[in-house]
Amino acid sequence: MQFSRAEEEKIIAAIRHAESLTSGEIRLYIESVCESGNPLERAQQLFLHYDMHKTRERNGVMLYIATISRQFAIYGDEAIFHKCGQNFWDEEKLLLRRFLQADEPVAGICAVVESIGHALKLHFPADDNDNPNELPDDIIYG
């Protein structure tokens, strides 16, 4: 799956808006096939590969989607994972699943990014004087 330029801009705008409210970082990785068969394991691998574990507050989140495999995962770094609890992450997965099953991936990604952004804002609010964008906001295609 390759998004159109307009779709990419919409997703990136959602990421930037969410990140403007928090010190947290959100990334999106899209590939066709999840070679390992385990999307959470793949998301964790990508999380480490893209140095998302090196954010100041350990509050990065990787959204991972394998389109042909029809698999996805949401992987949060230790600080945000523990602050939100397993129920939050399960709800986010259900939300994204509903949109993906309805063939509305852009709307689903934007909804999940917005929801994660609110959770990040609650636990890691932006510091108006010091809120660097630690990671690129672009969509990564594998």
Side-chain angles (χ1 to χ4, degrees):
M1 169 193 309
Q2 186 86 12
F3 294 115
S4 71
R5 187 70 198 136
E7 291 170 327
E8 285 182 352
E9 288 173 6
K10 186 174 182 174
I11 292 167
I12 292 168
I15 291 169
R16 287 183 177 151
H17 175 71
E19 289 182 356
S20 73
L21 307 173
T22 176
S23 62
E25 297 288 328
I26 301 170
R27 303 231 43 205
L28 172 62
Y29 190 96
I30 305 284
E31 66 183 352
S32 298
V33 177
C34 179
E35 294 291 337
S36 72
N38 183 331
L40 188 57
E41 181 181 286
R42 180 68 172 140
Q44 180 183 22
Q45 179 185 54
L46 293 165
F47 187 92
L48 295 172
H49 176 78
Y50 288 99
D51 291 332
M52 293 184 69
H53 61 292
K54 294 182 179 179
T55 60
R56 242 186 336 194
E57 296 187 57
R58 300 296 304 264
N59 57 0
V61 178
M62 170 66 78
L63 299 175
Y64 168 77
I65 300 174
T67 57
I68 292 173
S69 299
R70 300 180 59 88
Q71 294 177 303
F72 69 92
I74 303 170
Y75 186 86
D77 206 345
E78 61 186 28
I80 187 61
F81 179 83
H82 292 299
K83 293 273 187 183
C84 291
Q86 188 62 48
N87 286 345
F88 172 78
W89 300 104
D90 290 343
E91 289 171 11
E92 295 310 300
K93 288 187 290 186
L94 288 174
L95 177 62
L96 185 54
R97 178 176 284 119
R98 282 195 303 269
F99 278 98
L100 293 174
Q101 288 174 338
D103 199 28
E104 297 177 0
V106 174
I109 291 165
C110 290
V112 168
V113 164
E114 179 181 353
S115 182
I116 290 170
H118 287 297
L120 285 165
K121 177 185 176 186
L122 177 66
H123 299 291
F124 303 96
D127 178 343
D128 292 337
N129 299 315
D130 185 25
N131 188 21
N133 189 10
E134 296 180 75
L135 298 169
D137 300 326
D138 60 320
I139 299 168
I140 308 165
Y141 292 101

